[in-house]
Amino acid sequence: MIEDKNPQRTSISELGEFGLINHLTNIFEIKHQSTVKAIGDDAAVLDFKSKQAVVTTDLLVEGVHFDLGYMPLKHLGYKSIIVNLSDVYAMNAKATQVTVSIALSNRFPLEAVEELYEGIKFACDLYKVDLIGGDTTSSNKGLLISVTAIGEINPEDVVYRSGAQPNDLLVVTGDVGGAYLGLQVLEREKQVFQVNPQNQPDLDQYSYIIERQLKPEARKDIPKLLKELGVKPTAMIDVSDGLSSEIIHICKQSKVGCNLYEDKIPLDPQTISTCEEFNISSTTVALSGGEDYELLFTISQEDYPKIKANPSLTIIGHMTQESEGMHLITRANTKIPLQARGWNSFDKA
Ligand code: ADP
Ligand code: MG
């Protein structure tokens, strides 16, 4: 479906491992004082002075987490950075460094890896993080990418999943469900394309949800915004597996219950219209879809006036006593238990 715009194929073996690493990484510039030594020694050296460091890793496997049939390598590089930065922001921290490790099968020419690194570079520049190292190896089958993201934070600003209190408000940024639907559209078009390769799909009406899937953004702006508003969330998590699974994580770790209001869940108009077309419930998509990379957090009721007018923030519910359980209050005003049907990489086997 994605055309090969770059038919040139240079074998990686021509460069050798060190030649490849150097070729891929010499265009990256260092942006942070905390990066004392980046690529080129046995290990990177970082100095956060009086701040604390947060560290998070994700591993992405071809055929499990991404499909190169519709995911251009540049987007994959970009997204592999974004999904990790999202975890850093979910701690209320500032992302500062990343490492990138790749395992390549011999079907990838140099040009393909260059494309991947173009996306990585684009994300590093936009989100202002330093590439400080990684590892490069071969794989028998498929592509693997592992990214580690590092961030810094004042110790008093760290937000865990475990701090929510009964009566706290539950808040989500942006809108949810779009990325999952974007994937459904891409999967459908891939099948159409396999039957008839001449068919050039017209995806204009799905541009927003496809972008949510192929080129997601992490909420770098939110820790900064919350600081400006003078709000410290009591608990926070990023929405990678679907709203309901993330709410359940906060509830379980904070030992509280929750009422989530169906009519408050923020949805983009394209998400709503595409749900109608696919004949699926937009609430199910929002609750179970995943990969939105929005932030979900709880705040004390006292902070309500500080956030209420903000267009990026939607109050979708409130926390309760643990004994009251975790519920969705539907538009028809019925109360149904929240279930975690988030995306789980072990479900697909
Ligand atoms: P070592 O043999 O000690 O593991 P490598 O030869 O693998 O060292 O790496 C040399 C340097 O290049 C190190 O600084 C390492 O972090 C960096 N590096 C290796 N692979 C990558 C990659 N894919 N992206 C970014 N940096 C890399
Ligand atoms: Mg190595």
Side-chain angles (χ1 to χ4, degrees):
M1 197 170 133
I2 308 285
E3 280 173 78
D4 191 358
K5 289 190 224 82
N6 194 350
Q8 202 189 336
R9 293 178 68 87
T10 310
S11 164
I12 285 176
S13 55
E14 282 175 38
L15 279 141
E17 186 188 329
F18 303 119
L20 174 68
I21 296 168
N22 185 42
H23 179 83
L24 294 174
T25 60
N26 67 14
I27 50 168
F28 286 77
E29 288 149 21
I30 296 309
K31 309 168 187 86
H32 292 281
Q33 275 193 344
S34 55
T35 307
V36 178
K37 174 73 189 174
I39 293 167
D41 214 304
D42 296 309
V45 180
L46 306 177
D47 182 356
F48 291 108
K49 307 238 175 340
S50 62
K51 304 220 170 173
Q52 288 185 341
V54 302
V55 180
T56 172
T57 297
D58 265 309
L59 173 62
L60 301 177
V61 178
E62 184 177 354
V64 179
H65 303 101
F66 59 89
D67 181 336
L68 291 175
Y70 46 71
M71 187 87 178
L73 280 160
K74 190 172 167 180
H75 288 68
L76 178 64
Y78 189 84
K79 185 169 174 175
S80 64
I81 300 294
I82 297 306
V83 304
N84 278 274
L85 299 184
S86 179
D87 283 320
V88 172
Y89 303 137
M91 300 303 291
N92 206 29
K94 173 174 141 188
T96 43
Q97 289 90 8
V98 289
T99 67
V100 174
S101 299
I102 50 176
L104 300 164
S105 75
N106 57 13
R107 84 184 146 91
F108 291 95
L110 175 65
E111 287 73 17
V113 193
E114 280 174 344
E115 240 187 86
L116 182 77
Y117 266 74
E118 253 181 69
I120 291 171
K121 171 95 165 61
F122 197 72
C124 287
D125 288 345
L126 195 61
Y127 285 82
K128 297 203 168 46
V129 293
D130 294 336
L131 176 69
I132 56 155
D135 202 16
T136 308
T137 187
S138 56
S139 136
N140 293 335
K141 194 169 160 275
L143 172 67
L144 285 89
I145 306 177
S146 177
V147 174
T148 296
I150 297 161
E152 61 177 41
I153 188 161
N154 288 318
E156 64 274 19
D157 292 335
V158 180
V159 178
Y160 296 103
R161 296 174 176 183
S162 55
Q165 299 288 326
N167 300 321
D168 281 356
L169 300 173
L170 181 65
V171 184
V172 71
T173 63
D175 59 84
V176 288
Y180 171 84
L181 273 183
L183 182 62
Q184 299 314 303
V185 170
L186 289 167
E187 298 255 12
R188 181 179 69 184
E189 297 310 325
K190 184 180 160 192
Q191 279 166 14
V192 172
F193 182 78
Q194 278 167 347
V195 175
N196 180 5
Q198 302 312 320
N199 194 319
Q200 279 297 325
D202 177 10
L203 298 176
D204 277 1
Q205 72 183 105
Y206 308 110
S207 56
Y208 176 71
I209 57 175
I210 288 177
E211 181 146 329
R212 294 286 282 173
Q213 172 59 225
L214 293 183
K215 194 176 167 291
E217 303 296 348
R219 297 310 303 247
K220 178 181 199 266
D221 55 323
I222 298 297
K224 191 166 163 272
L225 173 72
L226 292 171
K227 187 130 219 172
E228 283 163 10
L229 295 173
V231 176
K232 186 187 172 193
T234 50
M236 185 149 66
I237 189 168
D238 75 322
V239 184
S240 53
D241 292 341
L243 206 51
S244 82
S245 143
E246 317 303 359
I247 292 174
I248 291 170
H249 280 306
I250 289 189
C251 286
K252 289 201 166 151
Q253 296 203 25
S254 300
K255 299 190 168 51
V256 294
C258 172
N259 285 333
L260 167 69
Y261 292 88
E262 182 179 23
D263 62 344
K264 303 281 190 242
I265 298 172
L267 302 166
D268 185 83
Q270 218 172 74
T271 303
I272 298 171
S273 61
T274 312
C275 277
E276 283 166 7
E277 186 191 330
F278 279 72
N279 203 14
I280 42 179
S281 142
S282 57
T283 304
T284 306
V285 165
L287 290 180
S288 308
E291 294 200 285
D292 294 309
Y293 303 108
E294 296 294 343
L295 293 175
L296 175 77
F297 56 90
T298 54
I299 59 166
S300 157
Q301 295 246 0
E302 283 163 31
D303 287 331
Y304 170 69
K306 298 182 194 161
I307 69 139
K308 68 173 184 196
N310 199 292
S312 330
L313 307 177
T314 309
I315 297 164
I316 54 173
H318 61 87
M319 312 322 273
T320 59
Q321 296 294 335
E322 187 178 23
S323 57
E324 292 178 46
M326 299 170 280
H327 290 98
L328 175 73
I329 315 294
T330 68
R331 287 196 186 85
N333 206 20
T334 51
K335 205 169 178 181
I336 54 174
L338 265 188
Q339 278 168 337
R341 291 216 193 80
W343 190 85
N344 180 327
S345 59
F346 293 102
D347 284 349
K348 288 201 167 173

